[in-house]
Amino acid sequence: MTIIASTWLCLMLALAAYAWFAYRTPYVLPILAAAAALAMYVPTGTPRLTAPPAGHYEVLGADIVVDLYIDALLKPEGGEAMLYRLPYSTAQANALQAAKDGGNGVRAEVGTDGGVAYDGDPPVTDTEDKHAEQPQLNVGG
């Protein structure tokens, strides 16, 4: 929420500065328009096109678009979650899907070369034998 409020404040200050200095310097508007576009791009939830910094992340959500890209919401240890658009590869998509299928949380490790390794806990399995349940009420014959 503070990002949106800060963005709004910056835009209002920029527009006030343009209104004040417009008659003196006509090149201020294109600079402020570019700054406003960048300021609105950051907090709107559009994925980052840059690679995430190296480190350990928790994957809060992911969308795999086959043969195009992987959008992943990554939360670093002790930081805010960010949406990144990662390059697609069959191996990456399979590793992410296998980690998601575990159902116990997905972790990602981003290397210094930008490669991502996904890991998750295996699915919970129970060794106890299953018994067929008996119906509470038998109707008919």
Side-chain angles (χ1 to χ4, degrees):
M1 186 67 182
T2 59
I3 293 175
I4 294 173
S6 300
T7 301
W8 177 83
L9 179 63
C10 289
L11 287 175
M12 292 305 103
L13 291 175
L15 290 174
Y18 174 72
W20 182 260
F21 294 110
Y23 69 93
R24 296 183 192 154
T25 53
Y27 58 85
V28 173
L29 182 61
I31 293 170
L32 291 178
L38 179 64
M40 290 310 296
Y41 171 77
V42 170
T44 57
T46 52
R48 301 288 171 113
L49 299 176
T50 59
H56 299 281
Y57 296 89
E58 179 182 353
V59 180
L60 300 179
D63 181 29
I64 301 171
V65 179
V66 178
D67 294 330
L68 294 177
Y69 54 83
I70 299 172
D71 281 343
L73 184 60
L74 303 178
K75 184 177 189 316
E77 297 171 349
E80 291 187 19
M82 294 291 247
L83 182 63
Y84 289 97
R85 180 157 290 170
L86 305 172
Y88 178 87
S89 74
T90 304
Q92 293 281 351
N94 289 340
L96 176 58
Q97 189 61 50
K100 284 174 60 176
D101 289 343
N104 296 328
V106 180
R107 293 176 301 280
E109 182 177 348
V110 179
T112 56
D113 61 348
V116 182
Y118 299 102
D119 184 28
D121 294 331
V124 175
T125 57
D126 194 2
T127 58
E128 185 178 320
D129 291 336
K130 303 296 181 197
H131 301 287
E133 294 183 8
Q134 299 299 322
Q136 295 290 330
L137 177 66
N138 286 330
V139 179

